[in-house]
Each structure stands twice: as C-alpha cells, then as structure tokens.
C-alpha cells in the first residue's frame, strides 16, 4: 500500500513515482491511497465546480485521460474528497463508487474491504457553521455552495460511528481488535499536531501556531471518530 497526500490532478506523476518505488524496492504495489484534493476534472466544464486559487483555476490535470480510458491507473487508487474537488463529479457518487477504471471514491463517508484490508474514509473539511446542517447543495454550484458542498457533516461522522458499533457487536468479525485497517481523511484530527514534530511544523507553517495553541487546527469530530475506528 502506498499513501500520498493531495493529488491535485497529478496522477501521471504519482503513478510514475510508484513505478520507480517498485523498481527500487523490488515490490509490487496493490493499492494507492490518496488523502484528498484528488481533483477528478474530466474536462473544462468541470472547472466551474471547483473552488481553488485563481492561479490554478484553468489547470485540467491528468484525470481526464483516465476517465476517457486513454490511460489506466497503475494500481487500484482509493481516495477521500478534499476541499479542492470537482464537486459536480463527486456529488454523483455520494456513497462512493468508481470515477474511472481502478479509481475509487469513498463518498462523503464510506468503508470498503479490499485485498484483506478494511479501508474507511471521510471527505471534506470541518466548518462548525455547516456541521449540523443537512446537505442542500446541488449543481450548478454558486461561489458559496461550491465551498459548502465539501464541508463535513455530522451525518458523515455518525455513519462511521454506527458502523464501528455494528462491527464491534459482531462476535464473528475475524477476531479483530480494530474496526478498520486504514482510515483516510483530508482534514486531520486536532490532536494530530501534537503527535509529530510540532516545532518543525510551525517553522514551515508559522500561521498554524495560533490554531495549534487553541486546539483548532483540524477537525474536532475526528478526534472522537478515529479512536472509535
């Protein structure tokens, strides 16, 4: 399993890197995990449904060729949504599904079992003012809804917590001590900053300092969800 951060539409670069890794280590990668900002832009029409900095607004990326079947993903690629996505594409698959051959989106919140691994994911980023709201956004999006559409909702978290409870109550669940083997999110839990080199993080991202000090860097609901899984 290979894990990468934001794809930003650069699938060719990711798959080239995976091939180089396979040659260098004499291994075969079976699953590639992308932690958001996948950017499944099929063509120029999808640019109207993605919120991102203006300097990147006209970049199509590589996904279109994979969607049209001109290229094939090097290995099964699984991703959660981020906050820079072609939301008109992903909202066609709210509970997840294939966006192209060998490329699978986990939906707003989802769990799949593949090659003996149970992989869960939750998409989007946390915004308190939208967290308890129902999903109301529909394409075509305006400047507001193309952003609110990727805000995580409490329902997404509750679905995964309910799944956890269901699995833990099943005595025949392979004797597992964990509900899932892999958990994917774009937003990180607020506790993440204290589980690494915090000083190095702040030196590279000084604007994080205040958010870390106030325990606001990330998604508070994930602080409770991840231990449950």
């Amino acid at each position: 399993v290979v894990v990468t951060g934001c794809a930003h539409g650069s699938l060719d670069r990711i798959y080239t890197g995976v091939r180089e890794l396979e040659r260098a280590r004499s291994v075969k990668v079976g699953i590639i995990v992308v932690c958001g900002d996948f950017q499944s832009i099929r063509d120029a029409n999808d640019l109207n449904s993605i919120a991102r900095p203006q300097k990147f607004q006209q970049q199509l990326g590589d996904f279109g060729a994979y969607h049209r079947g001109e290229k094939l993903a090097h290995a099964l690629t699984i991703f959660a949504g981020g906050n820079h996505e072609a939301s008109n594409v992903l909202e066609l698959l709210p509970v997840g599904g294939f966006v192209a051959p060998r490329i699978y989106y986990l939906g707003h919140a989802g769990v799949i079992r593949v090659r003996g691994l149970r992989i869960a994911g939750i998409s989007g980023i946390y915004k308190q003012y939208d967290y308890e709201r129902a999903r109301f956004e529909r394409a075509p999006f305006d400047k507001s809804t193309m952003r609110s559409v990727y805000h995580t909702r409490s329902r997404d978290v509750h679905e995964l917590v309910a799944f956890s409870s269901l699995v833990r109550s099943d005595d025949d669940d392979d004797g597992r001590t964990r509900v899932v083997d892999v958990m994917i999110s774009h937003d990180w839990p607020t506790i993440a900053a204290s589980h690494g080199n915090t000083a190095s993080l702040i030196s590279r991202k000084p604007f994080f300092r205040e958010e870390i000090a106030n325990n606001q860097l990330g998604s508070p609901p994930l602080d409770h969800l991840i231990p449950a899984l």
Side-chain angles (χ1 to χ4, degrees):
V1 178
V2 166
V3 179
T4 180
C6 303
H8 290 156
S10 299
L11 296 182
D12 291 349
R13 181 180 178 184
I14 290 173
Y15 296 140
T16 296
V18 170
R19 292 187 185 96
E20 292 174 352
L21 181 148
E22 288 177 326
R23 287 193 294 268
R25 300 191 181 183
S26 298
V27 296
K28 180 63 177 176
V29 171
I31 301 172
I32 300 170
V33 170
V34 180
C35 299
D37 282 4
F38 183 81
Q39 296 186 6
S40 51
I41 301 168
R42 301 165 299 186
D43 53 41
N45 291 324
D46 292 339
L47 296 175
N48 296 320
S49 297
I50 182 169
R52 59 182 178 179
Q54 187 61 40
K55 63 180 179 179
F56 302 122
Q57 193 58 37
Q58 299 306 311
Q59 293 182 5
L60 292 175
D62 307 323
F63 175 75
Y66 294 87
H67 181 263
R68 293 188 296 270
E70 298 165 6
K71 297 179 180 180
L72 181 65
H74 179 67
L76 176 62
T77 303
I78 300 168
F79 73 97
N83 59 320
H84 299 115
E85 301 288 2
S87 294
N88 60 321
V89 178
L90 299 190
E91 285 302 292
L92 296 173
L93 299 166
V95 297
F98 284 95
V99 295
R102 288 192 188 175
I103 301 177
Y104 190 88
Y105 168 52
L106 283 164
H108 296 151
V111 184
I112 60 173
R113 190 192 288 269
V114 56
R115 300 196 178 191
L117 295 175
R118 186 179 281 152
I119 300 175
I122 189 165
S123 295
I125 62 171
Y126 174 76
K127 292 294 183 182
Q128 183 179 14
Y129 52 82
D130 278 333
Y131 183 64
E132 297 293 347
R133 301 181 75 183
R135 292 190 180 276
F136 61 91
E137 301 88 354
R138 297 291 184 273
F141 305 108
D142 58 29
K143 290 185 178 180
S144 176
T145 57
M146 76 167 58
R147 290 168 173 80
S148 65
V149 69
Y150 58 68
H151 293 164
T152 303
R153 301 308 212 270
S154 60
R155 174 176 175 170
D156 307 332
V157 174
H158 295 331
E159 286 178 352
L160 291 179
V161 170
F163 175 80
S164 170
S165 299
L166 180 66
V167 170
R168 291 187 186 281
S169 68
D170 184 356
D171 294 334
D172 299 323
D173 191 59
D174 306 328
R176 290 169 175 260
T177 57
R178 294 173 298 185
V179 174
V180 301
D181 301 293
V182 180
M183 173 63 193
I184 308 170
S185 68
H186 183 64
D187 225 359
W188 61 9
T190 59
I191 58 176
S194 61
H195 284 71
N197 191 333
T198 307
S200 175
L201 174 63
I202 293 175
S203 70
R204 288 181 288 115
K205 306 279 188 178
F207 47 89
F208 281 175
R209 182 186 301 275
E210 184 175 351
E211 290 181 276
I212 292 173
N214 295 327
N215 198 35
Q216 295 177 336
L217 184 62
S219 172
L222 294 191
D223 291 348
H224 307 290
L225 173 62
I226 290 178
L229 297 175

